[in-house]
Amino acid sequence: MEYISQIAFLLVLAVAGYFLAKRIGSIKKNINLGKEVDRSDNKGQRWKNTLLIAFGQKKMFKKFIPAILHLMIYVGFLVINLEVLEFIIDGIAGTHRIFAPILGDAYTVAINIFEFLAVAVLVSCVAFLLRRNVLNVKRLRTLSGWPKLDGNLILVIEIILMFAILTMNATDQLLQGKDSHYLQTGSFFFSSFLTPLFEGMSVDALRFTERFAWWFHIIGILAFAVYVTYSKHLHIFMAFPNTYFARLTPNGKMNNMDEVTTEVKSMLGMDAGDPPAEVARLGAKDATDLTWVNLMNSYACTECGRCTAECPANITGKKLSPRKIMMDTRDRIDEIGKNIKAGKEAEEGSSLFSDDYISAEELNACTSCNACVEACPININPLDIILQGRRYMAMEESSSPQSWNAMFQNVETSFAPWKFPPTDRFKWADKLNEEQK
């Protein structure tokens, strides 16, 4: 009978591990459906970006108050989860606070730090709930349906988990000296404010409450880990590889198409190198035509809306929303992954660049200004996806707006956007010289 708790814990751990590994494997397969691109260069700069932007949250501090609140949750998540290691060892070994005898007084200090961060997380989550649902923050107010529920749900879960930690510690303090299983660890500052709520309870009731809070917290943490992989909060983990593999070239520089560059060089008699392999299509029609970095961007998206809030097209009433571009890309690659798993054609259903996902109106509204790229706190690049979709429209479908097609034709025939021959290009200067004489 004494091993029932340990067996139950191992079963919970195994079930959570199975579902977590399965979902991670699915996401990895979906990302690998993207086209290959080399991001193995400049490792030093990439690690620097990861430390400053992902770990240091450098770009978050453009807006100080939400940055501080987010930092509290972020640090709390990293540090408090160190205690999960003790939970797991205790659960497997049947012990209680196994690190307490090893660390001595330092253990009490550590738990007090954990409790301070738990309270900071709790306060920050309440503040974010108010921002999302009470304050008039447009980029958060425009969310609806599952994305809005997801954002609220995760905050409520975190609040409940933090209360579980404080409840566990409060009842633990009351059990010290009454039950030999509970080691003397000293007083915990924040949870001691909750002890009056439990002082009239019997030892059995205290033990039940402490054990319930312990199990609730560890099961909640494991369930949270699985849930996060289906949520926008996957950015908790994805922000780090996403920042590492982000583009290092200046934001304003657009990537040339190797297929087109090679063809142009050949026409001009320049050394074009080895001819490229057969090109399936120019630009991108569906999610699988994007690079694996684009697909990773979509899974890393926080849905915070900073990109859309800065987008000049969106601000002036256009349909384009860079946040929606990333969400649609993730939804479509998920759909393709499910098609493959079900034995269907990968591209069955509407393609990414269609009215069901990203419409031509949205693509054509983009000014290519890079405001969305600059605004993103983890260096996601919606513009790259937009450009690849527009290239397909222009070069494969010839479905660009008529004014664009006229400009393309002028560039092709006259080497300028305007319809006059190159020989007449400097007539305006000649005319100006004549007027000045």
Side-chain angles (χ1 to χ4, degrees), residues 74-142:
Y74 167 71
V75 173
F77 175 82
L78 291 180
V79 178
I80 293 173
N81 279 337
L82 293 175
E83 191 181 12
V84 174
L85 175 62
E86 183 181 54
F87 276 56
I88 292 173
I89 295 174
D90 284 341
I92 295 172
T95 54
H96 183 71
R97 297 193 183 274
I98 194 170
F99 292 150
I102 300 170
L103 298 176
D105 291 340
Y107 183 83
T108 305
V109 174
I111 295 300
N112 276 300
I113 292 172
F114 293 159
E115 286 198 351
F116 167 76
L117 291 172
V119 172
V121 169
L122 197 155
V123 170
S124 298
C125 287
V126 171
F128 277 138
L129 280 172
L130 292 173
R131 275 173 58 82
R132 283 181 166 272
N133 300 285
V134 179
L135 301 181
N136 192 29
V137 182
K138 183 180 178 182
R139 63 184 174 86
L140 301 176
R141 190 183 71 243
T142 52

Side-chain angles (χ1 to χ4, degrees), residues 1 38 73 81 99 132 150 153 197 212 234 311 313 388 424 428 431 433:
M1 292 292 290
D38 183 18
I73 295 177
N81 279 337
F99 292 150
R132 283 181 166 272
D150 177 37
L153 189 60
L197 299 175
F212 178 82
L234 184 58
C311 175
Q388 292 183 65
D424 294 343
W428 65 272
K431 184 176 180 181
N433 286 334

Side-chain angles (χ1 to χ4, degrees), residues 238-257:
M238 293 297 295
F240 304 102
N242 190 83
T243 306
Y244 180 86
F245 290 111
R247 270 181 34 145
L248 298 180
T249 52
N251 285 343
K253 182 179 179 181
M254 297 182 184
N255 293 326
N256 292 326
M257 299 176 66

Side-chain angles (χ1 to χ4, degrees), residues 10-11 60 68 94 147 170 176 219 302 328 337 393:
L10 286 170
L11 286 173
M60 286 290 297
I68 288 294
Q176 294 174 20
I219 291 175
T302 69
D328 285 345
M393 289 172 55

Side-chain angles (χ1 to χ4, degrees), residues 215-256:
W215 277 99
F216 185 88
H217 183 72
I218 190 63
I219 291 175
I221 287 289
L222 295 173
F224 178 85
V226 175
Y227 169 76
V228 155
T229 61
Y230 294 89
S231 162
K232 81 183 190 72
H233 292 83
L234 184 58
H235 76 269
I236 293 171
F237 307 106
M238 293 297 295
F240 304 102
N242 190 83
T243 306
Y244 180 86
F245 290 111
R247 270 181 34 145
L248 298 180
T249 52
N251 285 343
K253 182 179 179 181
M254 297 182 184
N255 293 326
N256 292 326

Side-chain angles (χ1 to χ4, degrees), residues 41-227:
D41 60 327
N42 297 313
K43 289 183 172 60
Q45 183 61 46
R46 293 187 181 281
W47 278 115
K48 180 180 178 181
N49 287 350
T50 304
L51 290 172
L52 288 175
I53 297 172
F55 281 99
Q57 303 197 21
K58 175 183 176 182
K59 295 178 76 173
M60 286 290 297
F61 278 85
K62 293 177 180 179
K63 295 185 178 180
F64 187 75
I65 293 177
I68 288 294
L69 295 173
H70 190 275
L71 182 65
M72 291 297 182
I73 295 177
Y74 167 71
V75 173
F77 175 82
L78 291 180
V79 178
I80 293 173
N81 279 337
L82 293 175
E83 191 181 12
V84 174
L85 175 62
E86 183 181 54
F87 276 56
I88 292 173
I89 295 174
D90 284 341
I92 295 172
T95 54
H96 183 71
R97 297 193 183 274
I98 194 170
F99 292 150
I102 300 170
L103 298 176
D105 291 340
Y107 183 83
T108 305
V109 174
I111 295 300
N112 276 300
I113 292 172
F114 293 159
E115 286 198 351
F116 167 76
L117 291 172
V119 172
V121 169
L122 197 155
V123 170
S124 298
C125 287
V126 171
F128 277 138
L129 280 172
L130 292 173
R131 275 173 58 82
R132 283 181 166 272
N133 300 285
V134 179
L135 301 181
N136 192 29
V137 182
K138 183 180 178 182
R139 63 184 174 86
L140 301 176
R141 190 183 71 243
T142 52
L143 283 173
S144 61
W146 168 247
K148 182 176 182 178
L149 176 61
D150 177 37
N152 287 328
L153 189 60
I154 208 80
L155 292 170
V156 171
I157 290 171
E158 288 181 18
I159 290 171
I160 294 172
L161 289 177
M162 295 306 103
F163 269 117
I165 289 178
L166 297 173
T167 299
M168 179 189 73
N169 288 346
T171 50
D172 186 289
Q173 291 175 77
L174 292 173
L175 284 165
Q176 294 174 20
K178 297 179 181 179
D179 188 321
S180 59
H181 184 69
Y182 295 88
L183 304 174
Q184 293 287 346
T185 58
S187 177
F188 304 141
F189 180 76
F190 289 96
S191 58
S192 64
F193 289 103
L194 297 181
T195 53
L197 299 175
F198 308 104
E199 283 179 343
M201 297 173 66
S202 66
V203 173
D204 288 340
L206 284 172
R207 191 183 298 114
F208 173 82
T209 304
E210 190 276 336
R211 285 291 84 193
F212 178 82
W214 187 93
W215 277 99
F216 185 88
H217 183 72
I218 190 63
I219 291 175
I221 287 289
L222 295 173
F224 178 85
V226 175
Y227 169 76

Side-chain angles (χ1 to χ4, degrees), residues 234-310:
L234 184 58
H235 76 269
I236 293 171
F237 307 106
M238 293 297 295
F240 304 102
N242 190 83
T243 306
Y244 180 86
F245 290 111
R247 270 181 34 145
L248 298 180
T249 52
N251 285 343
K253 182 179 179 181
M254 297 182 184
N255 293 326
N256 292 326
M257 299 176 66
D258 292 337
E259 308 90 339
V260 176
T261 301
T262 301
E263 184 67 23
V264 170
K265 285 183 176 180
S266 297
M267 292 172 62
L268 295 174
M270 300 169 62
D271 181 17
D274 296 329
E278 183 180 351
V279 181
R281 59 174 57 119
L282 299 172
K285 178 184 179 183
D286 213 341
T288 49
D289 298 321
L290 302 172
T291 69
W292 65 266
V293 175
N294 296 141
L295 300 181
M296 181 176 65
N297 282 179
S298 71
Y299 281 107
C301 179
T302 69
E303 298 178 18
C304 66
R306 287 175 174 83
C307 53
T308 296
E310 298 294 331

